[in-house]
Amino acid sequence: MTVNVFGAGLAGCEAAYQLAKRGIKVRLYDMKPHKKTPAHSSEKLAELVCSNSLKARRVESAAGLLKEEMRHLDSLLVKFADKCSVPAGGALAVDRDLFSSMVTDAVKNHENITFVSDEIEVIPDDAISIVATGPLTSYALSEHISGRLGDQLSFFDAAAPIVSADSIDMQHAFFESRYGKGDGDDYLNCPLNKEEYEIFYDALVSAERAPVHDFDVRDPKVYEGCMPIEVLAQRGVDTIRFGPMKPVGLRDPKTGHRPWAVLQLRKETASGEMFNLVGFQTNLKFSEQKRVFGLIPALKNAEFLRYGVMHRNTFINSPKLLGADYALRANNNIFFAGQITGVEGYMESASSGLVAGINAYMRVSGRNTVVFPESTMIGSLSRYISDETVSDFQPMGANLGVLPPLEDRPRDKSLRGAMYAQRSLISLDSFIKDNNL
């Protein structure tokens, strides 16, 4: 049996390799070289568009741990990244042209992979397939996916930041839902008095924004629904105070009065290790986000697990559609991988392709698909994108906040990272052995 892989970016190439190395025939489809998205310039596969950095090397970091897990699973992309690395301090950065060349040669010359330059517009029902067409999936295929999944395809322009729960200053925050609705701790409120709000507002409207490329411009109707907080604020000093930062229905227990303005934080996952800034979609530069949002007293020492971003992206509502094996719940012969699933980042995309490739192999072989341990970064990311309790789903990159809490959590951050890594790699090696991977 031959498996289809649609899309030859990072996720698609990794998925194709994982299948091919296990003796499975693969047809790898991509529009290149005859047609490219506006974001791409090279005819090579696995093109790195935004940066040549694959983030931190240190295994004690979230990004470093993810890459180390992938090394244990014989990742094609991490192997080549290591071979063509360039000096970048503590990060793993690569010669992007050499990297793409190495991946292209390995994939196209593999005896079990047939590369097909063609634009796919329909996902077949009668074959095991992996859809890894990325955040700039072609219009025709986007329309097909949208129709097939019950219009579950989402588009967004801006996303709000996510901060670590243990970095929030609880002396300046309190749990309460507006008018006492919900369970009482649905929202963590960060109050500001009039002076604090005015200082924050002035910094927000004058802060430096990140550039937006032509290919990122979206339909204005969608853009309005995802209005960046700094753009909304420019409509007037009280606009956001009567919008995302409205204090109505809340009373600060420290003062006994309603605050002048409130930023609400909402749990990103059921465990409460991460909080997103509700209504704070933004296109500010990362350094400006840390500076400006840090003017909110509760966030003065906040650790940002993900900064807000604004760009064109296409992703499915994975928590409602996918299992943690990256297969569609409605049709387990169809897998999704890469940024279209809601994982964010180069190696995160590749890791999802790795898992989808392994599980497509399992399906071909008549074996049950596997779900990676939650204590691993790979497993936690797959669980995040398939967690049906996640509402207002937004893309997520590797961060220690998605991992289950440590039993004896040390205060020292580097020691904490080392303990996460040790736990992860022990469980991963056992998992690999138990499942004969």
Side-chain angles (χ1 to χ4, degrees), residues 23 53 92 95 125 143 187 202 244 251 318 392 394 400-401 420:
S53 175
L92 174 58
D95 177 323
D125 287 312
E143 288 293 295
Y187 290 92
D202 289 341
R251 192 171 297 276
S318 293
D392 189 26
Q394 293 287 350
L400 297 180
Y420 276 123

Side-chain angles (χ1 to χ4, degrees), residues 161 200 204 277 280 289-296 299 304:
F200 165 74
L204 179 63
L277 281 60
F280 265 50
Q289 291 182 45
K290 188 172 183 64
R291 178 182 70 84
V292 175
F293 298 154
L295 294 172
I296 298 171
L299 301 185
F304 286 79

Side-chain angles (χ1 to χ4, degrees), residues 13-297:
C13 287
E14 186 69 64
Y17 171 74
Q18 293 296 327
L19 283 157
K21 64 171 278 191
R22 291 172 168 83
I24 304 300
K25 297 293 183 181
V26 179
R27 281 192 300 267
L28 176 62
Y29 292 82
D30 199 276
M31 298 188 299
K32 289 184 176 183
H34 303 301
K35 184 178 179 180
K36 304 186 191 74
T37 73
H40 294 92
S41 57
S42 170
E43 295 186 352
K44 297 171 184 175
L45 311 182
E47 182 179 353
L48 303 181
V49 175
C50 298
S51 167
N52 71 331
S53 175
L54 306 182
K55 302 180 185 176
R57 287 180 180 270
R58 295 183 305 108
V59 72
E60 298 85 6
S61 68
L65 175 57
L66 177 64
K67 289 188 283 289
E68 186 61 25
E69 291 175 1
M70 293 171 70
R71 290 186 185 96
H72 284 228
L73 290 157
D74 185 33
S75 164
L76 178 75
L77 273 70
V78 173
K79 177 173 67 176
F80 287 151
D82 288 335
K83 286 185 177 180
C84 63
S85 63
V86 296
L92 174 58
V94 300
D95 177 323
R96 70 173 82 196
D97 186 63
L98 178 58
F99 173 78
S100 293
S101 295
M102 294 174 74
V103 176
T104 301
D105 290 344
V107 168
K108 287 189 172 182
N109 293 324
H110 198 291
E111 61 181 359
N112 288 329
I113 299 175
T114 300
F115 179 76
V116 182
S117 178
D118 194 12
E119 179 180 354
I120 298 300
E121 299 182 356
V122 175
I123 304 169
D125 287 312
D126 58 351
I128 296 175
S129 302
I130 299 173
V131 182
T133 46
L136 292 173
T137 295
S138 69
Y139 177 79
L141 185 56
S142 292
E143 288 293 295
H144 169 72
I145 294 171
S146 180
R148 182 173 192 141
L149 301 183
D151 203 29
Q152 292 292 321
L153 192 68
S154 300
F155 301 89
F156 82 102
D157 289 289
I162 292 175
V163 297
S164 169
D166 61 8
S167 69
I168 300 167
D169 188 342
M170 294 302 296
Q171 294 296 315
H172 298 282
F174 62 94
F175 282 103
E176 186 181 349
S177 297
R178 284 196 174 92
Y179 303 108
K181 296 179 179 179
D183 294 330
D185 64 348
D186 291 351
Y187 290 92
L188 181 58
N189 302 284
C190 306
L192 297 87
N193 61 33
K194 189 173 186 292
E195 180 183 5
E196 291 165 344
Y197 174 78
E198 289 175 348
I199 292 172
F200 165 74
Y201 175 82
D202 289 341
L204 179 63
V205 295
S206 61
E208 190 174 1
R209 302 178 193 177
V212 179
H213 301 291
D214 291 342
F215 64 82
D216 289 328
V217 177
R218 300 292 306 157
D219 185 319
K221 292 182 296 183
V222 179
Y223 180 81
E224 180 70 24
C226 298
M227 183 66 65
I229 188 71
E230 63 273 10
V231 176
L232 191 62
Q234 287 190 319
R235 295 178 176 178
V237 67
D238 287 322
T239 303
I240 58 175
R241 201 170 69 83
F242 291 108
M245 299 189 75
K246 61 180 179 289
V248 296
L250 297 169
R251 192 171 297 276
D252 187 342
K254 289 185 69 175
T255 65
H257 300 291
R258 187 174 76 180
W260 185 254
V262 169
L263 164 63
Q264 288 198 307
L265 307 181
R266 182 173 53 219
K267 292 178 183 178
E268 183 66 20
T269 58
S271 65
E273 294 293 303
M274 303 178 287
F275 282 83
N276 67 67
L277 281 60
V278 179
F280 265 50
Q281 299 94 339
T282 183
N283 188 42
L284 297 182
K285 288 188 172 182
F286 290 177
S287 59
E288 289 287 76
Q289 291 182 45
K290 188 172 183 64
R291 178 182 70 84
V292 175
F293 298 154
L295 294 172
I296 298 171

Side-chain angles (χ1 to χ4, degrees), residues 338-403:
Q339 290 194 65
I340 198 169
T341 70
V343 295
E344 185 174 54
Y346 289 145
M347 288 296 98
E348 289 86 344
S349 294
S351 73
S352 69
L354 187 153
V355 176
I358 288 174
N359 279 324
Y361 163 75
M362 295 294 193
R363 187 78 69 213
V364 171
S365 304
R367 298 167 59 186
N368 293 329
T369 58
V370 295
V371 174
F372 280 68
E374 189 176 12
S375 57
T376 65
M377 190 61 65
I378 291 173
S380 281
L381 284 172
S382 71
R383 281 173 165 82
Y384 172 77
I385 64 97
S386 61
D387 183 354
E388 294 182 88
T389 70
V390 173
S391 60
D392 189 26
F393 179 60
Q394 293 287 350
M396 175 66 71
N399 66 83
L400 297 180
V402 299
L403 296 171

